[in-house]
């Protein structure tokens, strides 16, 4: 039964809206163009081009938290590339879960009389949406590099990368870099999407989008180990004295707890939610 639910979600919630994922491709390509424009002088000086991973730093570089100092003219720039990446993810999740609750998905739920299967299928769909979305962002990066230079490089250019991005990334191990670029951003995206889905089920799609938007704004300005979105910004893992730097190991554990907790909370909410299809009450709480 869960296979039928999942097939339905893939057809109606992913394939049907596949055009939305072009946004991720565009963001990935535009981010590369911004890096090339900012670092054109250094690229010409060293005669090198950035690798795919080094282009990806611009997607997930983020921004250091805003620190207000009395009497100083502190300024802060929102990390727009990072912000738009997660904002468009919110758009890709959309209000599909609300539509499905009042459409054929609800008919399948009533017929199976198992809400747990319906919610588990939606959670797996959420993971697939995020996998496809971030894969499209990296596809945009690959397409840009191929179109611009005729090749795709995976070699490190430490000196060039640090001239463009700063010295924070000197000495970052390959494994930590891959976790920061591939794993943590994906986990943050899943948390954001699950939270959006839960709020959509409990309240409305507008409520889910507003809360996610506010989370992005707050996470852009403030730094805390307890704000999930901070773990999708590589800059937050570094600081001048190391006091406020995030930890990769703690991040992996903390984000995993978030995902499990949201999965369980969503199930409890769906289990207690009143639902009907064409006037037929769905009384099962399985």
């Amino acid at each position: 039964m869960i296979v039928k639910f999942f097939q339905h979600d893939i057809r109606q919630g992913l394939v049907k809206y596949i055009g939305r994922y072009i946004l991720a491709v565009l963001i990935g390509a535009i981010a590369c163009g911004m890096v090339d424009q900012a670092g054109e002088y250094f690229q010409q000086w060293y005669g090198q081009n950035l690798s795919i991973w080094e282009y990806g730093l611009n997607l997930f570089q983020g921004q250091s938290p805003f620190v207000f100092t009395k009497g100083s003219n502190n300024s802060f720039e929102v990390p727009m590339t990072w912000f738009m990446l997660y904002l468009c993810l919110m758009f890709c999740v959309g209000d599909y879960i609300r539509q499905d609750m009042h459409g054929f998905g609800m008919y399948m739920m009533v017929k199976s009389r198992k809400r747990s299967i319906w919610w588990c299928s939606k959670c797996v769909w959420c993971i697939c949406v995020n996998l496809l979305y971030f894969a499209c962002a990296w596809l945009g990066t690959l397409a840009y590099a191929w179109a611009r230079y005729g090749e795709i490089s995976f070699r490190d250019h430490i000196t060039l990368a640090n001239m463009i991005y700063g010295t924070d990334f000197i000495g970052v191990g390959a494994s930590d870099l891959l976790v920061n670029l591939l794993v943590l951003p994906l986990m943050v995206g899943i948390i954001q999407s699950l939270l959006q889905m839960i709020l959509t089920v409990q309240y409305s799609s507008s409520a889910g989008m507003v809360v996610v938007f506010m989370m992005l704004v707050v996470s852009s300005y403030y730094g805390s180990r307890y704000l999930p979105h901070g773990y999708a910004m590589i800059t937050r893992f570094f600081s001048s004295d190391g006091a406020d730097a995030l930890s990769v190991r703690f991040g992996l554990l903390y984000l995993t707890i978030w995902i499990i907790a949201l999965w369980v909370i969503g199930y409890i909410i769906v289990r207690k939610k009143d639902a009907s299809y064409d006037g037929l009450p769905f009384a099962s709480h399985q």
Side-chain angles (χ1 to χ4, degrees):
M1 180 60 69
I2 191 171
V3 175
K4 293 182 178 180
F5 273 93
F6 181 63
Q7 289 176 342
H8 166 74
D9 288 330
I10 293 299
R11 286 194 307 267
Q12 298 299 319
L14 198 152
V15 176
K16 183 178 179 179
Y17 301 106
I18 197 68
R20 295 180 179 181
Y21 296 86
I22 296 176
L23 292 171
V25 177
L26 292 176
I27 292 175
I30 291 172
C32 293
M34 294 170 62
V35 173
D36 275 349
Q37 184 178 12
E40 183 177 5
Y41 171 80
F42 299 111
Q43 288 178 306
Q44 292 177 352
W45 179 266
Y46 290 102
Q48 298 175 337
N49 300 320
L50 293 173
S51 69
I52 295 301
W53 309 122
E54 290 159 347
Y55 273 125
L57 288 174
N58 191 45
L59 276 174
F60 304 108
Q61 182 181 14
Q63 182 67 278
S64 298
F66 176 73
V67 178
F68 176 77
T69 304
K70 188 176 182 180
S72 65
N73 296 321
N74 289 8
S75 61
F76 180 85
E77 293 184 4
V78 175
M80 288 306 300
T81 301
W82 176 89
F83 193 92
M84 290 303 299
L85 184 68
Y86 281 94
L87 191 66
C88 289
L89 172 61
M90 178 186 72
F91 174 68
C92 287
V93 173
D95 64 344
Y96 164 68
I97 192 169
R98 182 193 62 81
Q99 296 175 7
D100 196 60
M101 284 186 67
H102 299 88
F104 188 71
M106 182 54 63
Y107 167 76
M108 294 177 64
M109 190 196 299
V110 173
K111 186 177 181 180
S112 67
R113 307 190 68 81
K114 287 187 178 294
R115 299 186 180 201
S116 58
I117 296 179
W118 183 86
W119 175 247
C120 286
S121 177
K122 292 296 179 291
C123 291
V124 176
W125 166 80
C126 168
I127 295 173
C128 291
V129 166
N130 277 269
L131 286 170
L132 177 60
Y133 182 81
F134 287 104
C136 286
W138 283 104
L139 178 62
T141 303
L142 292 169
Y144 176 90
W146 181 263
R148 179 76 185 269
Y149 304 111
E151 63 176 2
I152 298 175
S153 173
F154 293 92
R155 293 179 299 176
D156 294 333
H157 305 99
I158 298 177
T159 303
L160 176 60
N162 284 301
M163 291 300 293
I164 295 175
Y165 292 110
T167 59
D168 286 341
F169 306 111
I170 293 179
V172 178
S175 59
D176 283 348
L177 182 62
L178 289 178
V179 170
N180 277 293
L181 289 175
L182 300 177
V183 180
L184 292 176
L186 175 64
M187 295 179 73
V188 170
I190 293 173
I191 290 171
Q192 172 183 304
S193 302
L194 284 173
L195 181 60
Q196 181 181 345
M197 288 164 54
I198 290 172
L199 291 172
T200 298
V201 170
Q202 183 66 12
Y203 301 105
S204 67
S205 57
S206 298
M209 292 181 179
V210 168
V211 170
V212 167
F213 180 81
M214 293 305 300
M215 286 183 66
L216 291 173
V217 173
V218 172
S219 298
S220 297
Y221 282 89
Y222 300 101
S224 170
R225 67 188 306 200
Y226 301 112
L227 290 174
H229 282 86
Y231 292 94
M233 300 188 208
I234 299 178
T235 302
R236 300 288 173 92
F237 290 85
F238 306 93
S239 67
S240 56
D241 56 5
D244 300 321
L246 299 179
S247 167
V248 172
R249 290 186 178 180
F250 178 81
L252 289 171
L253 176 61
Y254 182 63
L255 296 182
T256 300
I257 293 174
W258 259 93
I259 292 173
I260 295 174
L262 289 174
W263 193 307
V264 173
I265 291 172
Y267 167 71
I268 294 173
I269 290 175
V270 169
R271 187 171 180 268
K272 295 181 178 180
K273 191 76 174 176
D274 291 332
S276 64
Y277 182 83
D278 286 346
L280 299 176
F282 178 41
S284 174
H285 294 284
Q286 299 181 28

